[in-house]
Amino acid sequence: MDVEDNIRQVRKIMAEAANRSGRSPAGVRLMAVTKTVNDDRIAAAVRAGVDIIGENYVQEAKRKLETMGKTGEWHLIGRLQTNKAKHAVHFFDMIQSVDRLELATEIDRRARAAGLIMKILIEVNVAGEETKSGVPIADAFNLVRAVAPLANLSIRGLMTMPPWFDDPEEARPFFRALRELRDRIKAEGIPRVEMEELSMGMTGDYAVAVEEGATIVRIGRGIFGERN
Ligand SMILES: *Cc1c(COP(=O)(O)O)cnc(C)c1O
């Protein structure tokens, strides 16, 4: 199947999941995750109307943006080293992988120098997996409170990547935990903090993520096929 057919299929499944849970399909945006994907196929996804391009690496995004030009929103979803923040602020509309104050402080400083406000999500490690990035749920409140005053950042919500399961139903409690955390933080009414976005759900589990409240799903293989 080509990229356009795949996107049509993914959108259909997203809409069905939204309807099943009484949500509007318009409340969920589709991100095409483009790590290792060549420019022609990314361009095909853009033509098919994906809302957001998601990149894992700053250097890869820089190279692609130089050859393709910028269309739509580009979000960083991969782990960001603090010393790369100065480049990241120039290429991305949102950084979804903010999981520590040191990193937030550096993005804020670089955004100020560039004269912009960077939208961010706080990445949460919902299952407490050793190998994964993300702030533990128990520390998320404190991180949001600490980041909130940074004037050149705008917190928009939360992002997570739950453990991988054969059966996507097993990921449901982790998606639900992220939504509940979002709701609790929102209820605090912390100044400057918007808690609308929930970035969760990948090729294997996005229908479940949408049922649990995802506002952005991040799809790589489901659009572009298996990565080499
Ligand atoms: C690669 C990646 C995805 C997409 O995964 P697929 O299984 O290809 O849909 C989503 N989010 C992050 C953070 C990723 O690194």
Side-chain angles (χ1 to χ4, degrees):
M1 285 231 284
D2 68 12
V3 166
E4 212 181 317
D5 289 338
N6 290 344
I7 288 173
R8 201 172 301 123
Q9 178 66 16
V10 168
R11 283 203 186 282
K12 180 163 171 283
I13 290 169
M14 287 168 65
E16 286 165 358
N19 288 329
R20 270 200 301 282
S21 55
R23 305 179 59 211
S24 163
V28 197
R29 288 189 292 162
L30 173 59
M31 169 193 286
V33 175
T34 52
K35 56 180 173 255
T36 77
V37 176
N38 70 35
D39 295 4
D40 290 347
R41 289 167 74 72
I42 298 173
V46 170
R47 279 196 306 277
V50 300
D51 305 288
I52 309 167
I53 300 297
E55 277 286 334
N56 286 69
Y57 304 103
V58 177
Q59 284 307 315
E60 196 175 332
K62 176 175 189 283
R63 190 189 55 65
K64 286 171 178 165
L65 283 163
E66 279 165 3
T67 55
M68 300 180 56
K70 181 124 179 285
T71 34
E73 289 183 38
W74 286 56
H75 293 193
L76 181 64
I77 58 173
R79 189 190 289 259
L80 179 59
Q81 291 173 309
T82 305
N83 63 12
K84 299 253 170 71
K86 70 167 178 280
H87 301 298
V89 298
H90 294 289
F91 305 126
F92 295 103
D93 302 286
M94 181 185 278
I95 298 176
Q96 299 203 355
S97 46
V98 178
D99 62 357
R100 56 197 193 277
L101 183 58
E102 179 207 24
L103 175 60
T105 304
E106 182 63 9
I107 299 169
D108 177 64
R109 189 166 82 85
R110 296 299 182 174
R112 187 173 321 111
L116 54 86
I117 309 271
M118 179 56 66
K119 291 182 252 183
I120 64 164
L121 302 183
I122 300 296
E123 182 178 357
V124 181
N125 186 345
V126 279
E129 292 170 284
E130 294 269 323
T131 55
K132 282 219 180 116
S133 44
V135 62
I137 285 189
D139 300 334
F141 263 93
N142 282 341
L143 181 59
V144 170
R145 283 196 203 92
V147 172
L150 300 176
N152 289 77
L153 299 184
S154 173
I155 305 181
R156 298 304 176 98
L158 305 177
M159 183 268 237
T160 200
M161 192 146 95
W164 193 87
F165 299 104
D166 282 322
D167 176 4
E169 272 303 321
E170 293 186 55
R172 187 182 295 277
F174 299 101
F175 294 138
R176 186 170 294 165
L178 194 74
R179 169 165 48 88
E180 288 170 356
L181 176 65
R182 191 267 316 262
D183 293 345
R184 290 203 306 276
I185 295 173
K186 200 169 159 181
E188 293 258 305
I190 303 166
R192 301 193 69 256
V193 174
E194 283 178 45
M195 272 288 141
E196 300 309 323
E197 301 285 3
L198 282 180
S199 172
M200 57 189 197
M202 307 175 18
T203 296
D205 55 19
Y206 66 97
V208 175
V210 169
E211 288 173 3
E212 293 299 330
T215 63
I216 300 172
V217 294
R218 308 184 308 266
I219 311 295
R221 292 169 302 132
I223 293 175
F224 300 110
E226 293 298 323
R227 284 180 288 274
N228 303 317

